[in-house]
Amino acid sequence: MPTDLLSVRELANNDLLLVLRNAQYRVEVGRKMHSVLEQRYLLRLDPVSNAALIRHSLRIANGRILTIADFPGGADAVHAWPIFSRLLPHLPSQNPAAGRLSGTTVDMGEFDPRTHSLCYSVIAHRRQKFALASGQSSISLARLAFREFDISIAARILNQPTTDGGLMHHNANDRMRGAASEVMAESDVIALLDDAADLLAVSRYRPATRDRMAG
């Protein structure tokens, strides 16, 4: 059944807005816990320094947009920044996304949530080319091109079910393998996904506070 997990929209000023759906987390605001409806990630370039900025915000149940964290991505002309990795929670009541999606649709694969689960990683790039890998039939990898940033999504079906799932935010300043190269190997993205999948498989739910990102 098609499910809307993540949308990427290019804004008029060349910013990219990533919206993560079904983000079943809670956040503390004013000493009260609130349900999170969406996790949002804004990628933009500073008009003066040309440095990249990744801003993480939440849309909570009362309609407020709450900014959790800003991460400077640096002014490198060529670079990559891992944003988040996710183990998809079981969504038995989720309505199909068919008919609601527009633009380019990325197929992450089919699986039975009673026996398997989906894990995927999202990475932002600037001015990078890809060296394609071979023999990665168990990995679904897509590259979306925009004016200032590209987005890579790598997904793997895991041979174990999950009810709660998990969300892991990567430090935007962490140097993933091949991040500063003009040509990044697909294997570098796959390595990030594999490491994240191992951590998410044993993670436990933690609510977010205003000083750190949810997941």
Side-chain angles (χ1 to χ4, degrees):
M1 178 180 292
T3 302
D4 185 1
L5 304 178
L6 171 73
S7 66
V8 184
R9 182 171 52 154
E10 189 170 37
L11 307 180
N13 61 357
N14 297 337
D15 291 356
L16 278 191
L17 177 64
L18 284 67
V19 179
L20 177 60
R21 314 290 185 186
N22 305 301
Q24 306 300 326
Y25 293 89
R26 293 172 64 78
V27 62
E28 182 180 356
V29 182
R31 297 185 179 181
K32 294 182 179 179
M33 300 302 295
H34 297 264
S35 296
V36 175
L37 302 182
E38 294 176 343
Q39 307 246 6
R40 296 181 171 207
Y41 310 88
L42 182 70
L43 280 63
R44 63 181 300 269
L45 294 178
D46 186 281
V48 177
S49 66
N50 208 41
L53 175 71
I54 301 172
R55 174 171 295 165
H56 177 215
S57 302
L58 307 173
R59 183 166 72 89
I60 58 179
N62 64 6
R64 289 179 59 191
I65 302 295
L66 177 67
T67 297
I68 295 294
D70 286 334
F71 290 107
D76 302 359
V78 178
H79 205 71
W81 304 277
I83 302 176
F84 69 85
S85 294
R86 189 184 192 204
L87 179 62
L88 184 68
H90 184 28
L91 304 170
S93 62
Q94 175 68 15
N95 294 325
R100 296 191 292 114
L101 298 177
S102 62
T104 301
T105 300
V106 175
D107 185 358
M108 295 188 188
E110 298 181 0
F111 66 99
D112 186 340
R114 294 172 297 182
T115 56
H116 293 75
S117 56
L118 174 70
C119 187
Y120 63 98
S121 295
V122 177
I123 300 167
H125 307 262
R126 287 205 74 216
R127 309 290 189 257
Q128 278 191 322
K129 297 179 180 179
F130 249 18
L132 301 181
S134 60
Q136 300 291 345
S137 58
S138 63
I139 298 290
S140 171
L141 196 147
R143 187 78 176 265
L144 306 176
F146 300 94
R147 286 189 291 268
E148 294 293 350
F149 297 95
D150 292 343
I151 298 294
S152 286
I153 304 173
R156 180 192 289 279
I157 305 299
L158 304 181
N159 293 321
Q160 61 188 63
T162 178
T163 300
D164 298 329
L167 180 63
M168 181 173 71
H169 289 95
H170 300 280
N171 186 334
N173 291 319
D174 284 349
R175 297 278 181 171
M176 64 177 291
R177 194 169 66 195
S181 302
E182 292 186 6
V183 178
M184 172 178 275
E186 278 190 350
S187 58
D188 294 336
V189 177
I190 293 170
L192 174 76
L193 170 64
D194 286 341
D195 289 344
D198 290 342
L199 292 172
L200 287 168
V202 298
S203 67
R204 293 293 181 265
Y205 162 77
R206 293 182 302 163
T209 66
R210 198 172 173 83
D211 297 322
R212 69 175 171 83
M213 302 167 86

